[in-house]
Amino acid sequence: MTGSVSSGPEPRRLSLRANVAALTAGRILAAAAQWGALIVVAKASDVETTGQFALAQVICVPIAEVARAGLREIRATDVAHDFAFHSYLGLRSAIALLAFGLMVAVGAVAAEDATVWLVVVLYAASRVVELLADMVYGLFQLQERLDFIGRSLALVAPLSIVFLVIGFLATDSLPVAVAAQLLAYLLVFVFHDLAVARRRVRLEPDTRLLPSFDRAIAARLLRLAVPLGVATVFAIIAIEAPRLIVAAELGTDALGIFVPLFALAMAPSRFVQPLGTAATTPLAALDQAGDRRGFERLLGLLALVAGAVGVLGVLVVAVGAESILRVVYTPEYETHADLFLLLMIAGALRFEAILLQYGLIARRQFWMVTAASAVVSVVAVVAAAVLVPRGLDEAGTATVVIFT
């Protein structure tokens, strides 16, 4: 322990079903907001401006994902309270500052002019706020109160879009619009996330809301976090390898088909991931208590639900792929029904993998997660390199191989 544990009232927990429902709604809104921001910029501006916003996303999103370093997952499985919350927040704050510096530096190299660089800087600042909010979510997750996370996501999703639209329409300036979006993130973080955290942190043993950075404690936490951070890098490689090789070998037109179909096929993960998130702490508690049968029963139930979601998705696509693609996108996409079905099969396999990975995290087998992710990334590169040059349907086959 990082300090003596003082007794406090047991925080009220929600049921697994209630936590899943609350988080699913928030996750769907958050995903819609990420897509919506790009759509808003595309419709309200020209191709050049849209490209500038997309560049900021391409630079900042992967760096921010790696900067998470699995700290929230480690926090959610810390049922023995080995580390105080302020120690997690201190390390996350330090990593977030380093990530911000890296995003700004990459933006300086990649940006064509000062305006584009400013867009990257402002977008990077939003990602820093998101990283800090994510760590606060870890406080709520360990207490099994995912409704606070769902509420936060439900607030920031529409506000970020509204502020982006207002900023752009009022000034016709992308930097101002992105700055307005940053303001939306800050408002929700300060007036919702931190406000709730001030109440909930009192239920934690010997902890406080202000971040604390002790080198010895940070080093111990970092050793736990490194495997999940590395696993994130491998996961990004596995996802991006087919896309990059499609772009290189088949061209941007083919990429314009593959990416939207991949995104649609993976959409059910918005229902599967909340299952794993909500179950992480209960699974960790069962593992900590040595209740192997209870652990396997709960994880098996979740895997069964994830499998049902995947099978249902495959059946729906097998029957109505052309109609779905015509309605969601344009008639041009419905000629790629076979590719859509292959990607949906890959998605069903991935949903099972997601739940099993949460099981490893709950048992704190972090290096096992890294090893599994490393294998998948190698398979992704090889499968994509061999199959993608043969055509788009083969790119779908490669994706099935990757997630098998």
Side-chain angles (χ1 to χ4, degrees):
M1 296 290 290
T2 58
S4 60
V5 179
S6 60
S7 61
E10 181 73 4
R12 184 174 72 86
R13 291 171 166 80
L14 296 184
S15 67
L16 181 62
R17 181 180 298 179
N19 277 323
V20 170
L23 188 59
T24 299
R27 281 277 179 85
I28 291 172
L29 284 171
Q34 189 173 12
W35 279 79
L38 190 58
I39 293 171
V40 165
V41 173
K43 289 185 175 294
S45 63
D46 53 24
V47 174
E48 181 181 3
T49 303
T50 304
Q52 293 172 355
F53 189 75
L55 177 65
Q57 290 185 325
V58 168
I59 290 171
C60 297
V61 171
I63 294 174
E65 283 300 310
V66 175
R68 293 179 188 274
L71 278 177
R72 176 175 156 190
E73 287 76 12
I74 295 170
R75 165 68 184 174
T77 59
D78 191 4
V79 292
H81 294 281
D82 292 329
F83 298 93
F85 173 72
H86 54 258
S87 296
Y88 285 97
L89 189 57
L91 182 57
R92 171 57 66 84
S93 300
I95 295 175
L97 286 175
L98 291 174
F100 178 73
L102 181 58
M103 288 184 269
V104 169
V106 173
V109 173
E112 297 177 352
D113 53 47
T115 300
V116 178
W117 180 70
L118 180 58
V119 171
V120 174
V121 171
L122 291 167
Y123 192 85
S126 294
R127 301 286 70 76
V128 169
V129 176
E130 195 174 50
L131 283 169
L132 296 177
D134 179 73
M135 198 66 255
V136 173
Y137 293 168
L139 172 68
F140 305 149
Q141 188 174 346
L142 185 60
Q143 296 179 358
E144 297 181 55
R145 288 299 304 265
L146 271 61
D147 54 325
F148 296 132
I149 303 176
R151 187 191 307 166
S152 176
L153 294 173
L155 286 170
V156 78
L159 277 180
S160 63
I161 295 294
V162 169
F163 277 45
L164 182 74
V165 171
I166 292 174
F168 198 86
L169 294 180
T171 64
D172 198 31
S173 167
L174 183 59
V176 172
V178 177
Q181 190 177 44
L182 169 60
L183 178 61
Y185 279 99
L186 282 169
L187 288 173
V188 174
F189 179 61
V190 172
F191 292 104
H192 176 269
D193 301 343
L194 291 182
V196 175
R198 286 190 191 97
R199 301 197 312 267
R200 302 299 298 184
V201 80
R202 297 171 190 163
L203 303 173
E204 293 287 311
D206 291 340
T207 195
R208 56 187 181 276
L209 190 56
L210 288 176
S212 173
F213 191 86
D214 179 281
R215 287 187 179 181
I217 294 174
R220 290 170 56 203
L221 261 178
L222 197 57
R223 282 194 292 271
L224 286 174
V226 164
L228 292 181
V230 174
T232 301
V233 174
F234 286 135
I236 291 172
I237 292 172
I239 293 294
E240 294 298 329
R243 301 181 190 182
L244 293 173
I245 297 178
V246 165
E249 296 290 339
L250 305 180
T252 55
D253 288 349
L255 186 66
I257 297 294
F258 183 81
V259 170
L261 265 61
F262 181 87
L264 188 58
M266 299 299 153
S269 67
R270 301 294 174 184
F271 298 94
V272 174
Q273 287 178 330
L275 285 174
T277 302
T280 298
T281 298
L283 284 170
L286 289 169
D287 183 65
Q288 178 77 11
D291 187 355
R292 182 175 178 179
R293 182 174 295 182
F295 182 96
E296 292 176 348
R297 186 186 300 116
L298 178 55
L299 186 61
L301 177 62
L302 295 173
L304 186 64
V305 173
V309 171
V311 169
L312 180 61
V314 170
L315 291 175
V316 169
V317 171
V319 173
E322 293 181 359
S323 299
I324 294 170
L325 293 175
R326 185 170 57 250
V327 171
V328 175
Y329 294 121
T330 64
E332 180 182 2
Y333 288 87
E334 67 179 295
T335 59
H336 297 280
D338 290 342
L339 171 61
F340 187 30
L341 179 58
L342 286 168
L343 292 175
M344 192 66 243
I345 293 171
L349 294 169
R350 182 172 179 242
F351 303 155
E352 286 296 314
I354 288 172
L355 261 300
L356 294 177
Q357 180 171 295
Y358 276 112
L360 291 175
I361 290 172
R363 298 190 68 180
R364 310 201 111 191
Q365 295 180 338
F366 302 138
W367 281 112
M368 287 290 292
V369 176
T370 307
S373 299
V375 171
V376 172
S377 68
V378 172
V379 171
V381 172
V382 173
V386 172
L387 294 173
V388 170
R390 302 178 185 179
L392 268 177
D393 286 348
E394 285 73 14
T397 302
T399 309
V400 173
V401 172
I402 290 167
F403 294 118
T404 299

